[in-house]
Amino acid sequence: MQLWFVVIAAFGLAYFSLVKRTFDLFSLAYVSALVYFLPGFFGYALYPGGLLSEPVLLVPGTYRIMISVLVSIWLGAAVFDRLARPELPPFSLTNSELATGVIVSLATLGFVMALLTTGRALLSPDKATMMAELNRWHLVWVVGASLAIVCSFAERRGLLFAAGVALVAVDVFIGFRSNFAMAMLGVMVLWLGAIGPQRLVRQSWPQLLLCLGLGAVVFVYKFLYVAVKMGDVEGVLGRIVDSNFYLSALTYSEPFSTQAVLDAVVRSDLQVGMSHFSGLIYRLLFFAPAVGAESVAFNDLFQTRLFPQSKFGMASNIWAEMISSGGWPLLIGFLLLFVLILGLGSWLLGVSDPRLRGYVALAGSYWAFYIHRNDLVYQIDLEKRILVIFVAGLVGSSLLLSFVHSVRTRRKARNGEWRHP
């Protein structure tokens, strides 16, 4: 099965690299699947053990699921490319000119409040200690900064883009890579997509090299950030000049533990049923946890049964959740939904309003890329956060513009009364 996986992965990559098509969410989803399915190329996943994780060979059923995901994305893109899609009419969000600036302001407020409420815990090299002190201000900070980066890129507003990058850079320094990664992926979708139909490796190889470089930074920083926060310059330099460090960073990266979840579920034929999905209705509501609405995460169902020796929470796996909740029928149904949303998002990337295009790029990137290491509950939460900050930016822009218009109207009225008593 490993050989079949490698061959199918290679042919699919050739399609997205060599066929003349517009870079879209299907392209990102396929690359993302290859990244998260890295264990398929090596033949093993890393099960949590004692001090070191234990490599365990993947079972054939795990390969079948990974192949199904790759083929679904590939076929979805091929069908999408041949559909006669209607062009989106010119559209602009009313009174949204200041939205990106408002989002940057919200992110800055979140950053300042996170500093004030979290204090020195942000500088702790112990990530568990730091995360125990984090609150919602951190979410406002990082989600706002990520959205500001993508929207300002779409609007070509350099100062706001720089502000967003600076805010995300601080988040990277304290040990979080995902917000930086998702913002850069959103920018990549907009950047490469704006070129139009192209043979990717022939026409956009400089951009691809830049993306590979940034991706490498994301991979290795997980193994550097503790030394960085401690100010251990010698330790950082010693690692980055060691070739074995990069191999270890790759083979001990998150995909190897994420696919351990899928492999363990398939190997044990774990069946958790579909009752935990009943709580999803609450997750669709805004601020549901704040009012006491609860739902069961997939991690709560598998970790104590499959990995009781693990002392830390494990990243989830959407494909493991589907196969263990409803077998192949549910997995195939979710793959269809996954592909349909990729198609809808790819179509909406053609919207003329830059701010809305930026929102679609970031929200779509989370769906295309980050879904591989989440369960459905957490994925919905991520998408909600982006939507809440985006709507807050739109509302803030509308209120500010209405206020400015009101002030100008009153000023003109007073000037008119003074000139014509």
Side-chain angles (χ1 to χ4, degrees), residues 11-340:
F11 274 98
L13 184 61
Y15 176 82
F16 286 100
S17 303
L18 301 175
V19 172
K20 193 171 184 179
R21 67 184 307 275
T22 299
F23 190 93
D24 55 13
L25 296 182
F26 284 106
S27 309
L28 177 59
Y30 195 83
V31 173
S32 305
L34 293 181
V35 170
Y36 271 98
F37 292 163
L38 274 174
F41 297 99
F42 288 81
Y44 67 88
L46 293 175
Y47 281 49
L51 294 177
L52 295 176
S53 299
E54 177 187 1
V56 177
L57 294 179
L58 300 177
V59 296
T62 302
Y63 277 109
R64 293 189 189 98
I65 293 173
M66 293 192 294
I67 289 172
S68 299
V69 175
L70 292 177
V71 171
S72 297
I73 299 170
W74 181 5
L75 290 179
V79 172
F80 182 78
D81 292 343
R82 287 159 178 76
L83 287 177
R85 302 185 299 274
E87 288 191 11
L88 289 166
F91 175 76
S92 179
L93 294 168
T94 306
N95 293 331
S96 64
E97 296 89 337
L98 302 180
T100 304
V102 172
I103 292 171
V104 170
S105 299
L106 287 172
T108 304
L109 174 64
F111 170 61
V112 172
M113 293 303 298
L115 288 178
L116 294 176
T117 58
T118 307
R120 295 184 62 84
L122 287 177
L123 300 178
S124 173
D126 184 355
K127 197 168 186 177
T129 299
M130 177 181 62
M131 293 187 68
E133 298 296 326
L134 291 180
N135 51 42
R136 291 184 181 274
W137 287 116
H138 178 254
L139 294 179
V140 175
W141 160 19
V142 296
V143 176
S146 301
L147 189 57
I149 289 172
V150 184
C151 289
S152 60
F153 182 85
E155 292 183 272
R156 300 183 179 181
R157 301 180 67 178
L159 289 178
L160 295 179
F161 181 83
V165 170
L167 288 165
V168 166
V170 179
D171 189 50
V172 172
F173 169 75
I174 65 175
F176 295 99
R177 303 164 297 154
S178 61
N179 301 294
F180 167 77
M182 299 315 303
M184 293 302 103
L185 289 175
V187 168
M188 181 181 72
V189 168
L190 294 177
W191 190 11
L192 295 177
I195 298 173
Q198 59 169 318
R199 290 179 173 85
L200 197 61
V201 295
R202 292 181 57 184
Q203 295 171 251
S204 293
W205 62 266
Q207 293 94 321
L208 293 178
L209 287 178
L210 176 60
C211 293
L212 285 174
L214 292 173
V217 171
V218 171
F219 262 87
V220 303
Y221 191 70
K222 175 181 179 181
F223 304 91
L224 289 174
Y225 84 91
V226 173
V228 170
K229 293 180 77 171
M230 295 178 66
D232 183 6
V233 178
E234 184 177 344
V236 172
L237 293 177
R239 292 180 185 181
I240 63 177
V241 298
D242 182 3
S243 58
N244 291 325
F245 167 70
Y246 296 98
L247 179 60
S248 297
L250 177 65
T251 55
Y252 282 90
S253 59
E254 183 181 79
F256 285 84
S257 57
T258 303
Q259 298 316 321
V261 176
L262 175 60
D263 190 68
V265 164
V266 174
R267 185 186 299 271
S268 64
D269 192 26
L270 176 66
Q271 302 295 321
V272 300
M274 300 178 64
S275 60
H276 67 287
F277 288 134
S278 61
L280 289 176
I281 187 65
Y282 299 113
R283 311 308 292 192
L284 296 174
L285 303 175
F286 292 115
F287 309 110
V291 296
E294 297 182 358
S295 56
V296 178
F298 180 56
N299 180 276
D300 299 330
L301 302 175
F302 79 79
Q303 183 162 333
T304 55
R305 296 162 70 174
L306 299 180
F307 305 103
Q309 73 279 19
S310 179
K311 298 179 181 179
F312 305 99
M314 298 178 63
S316 195
N317 187 304
I318 193 73
W319 315 115
E321 180 180 20
M322 295 303 149
I323 199 71
S324 65
S325 298
W328 277 95
L330 182 60
L331 177 65
I332 293 171
F334 183 77
L335 277 171
L336 179 61
L337 175 65
F338 177 62
V339 168
L340 287 175

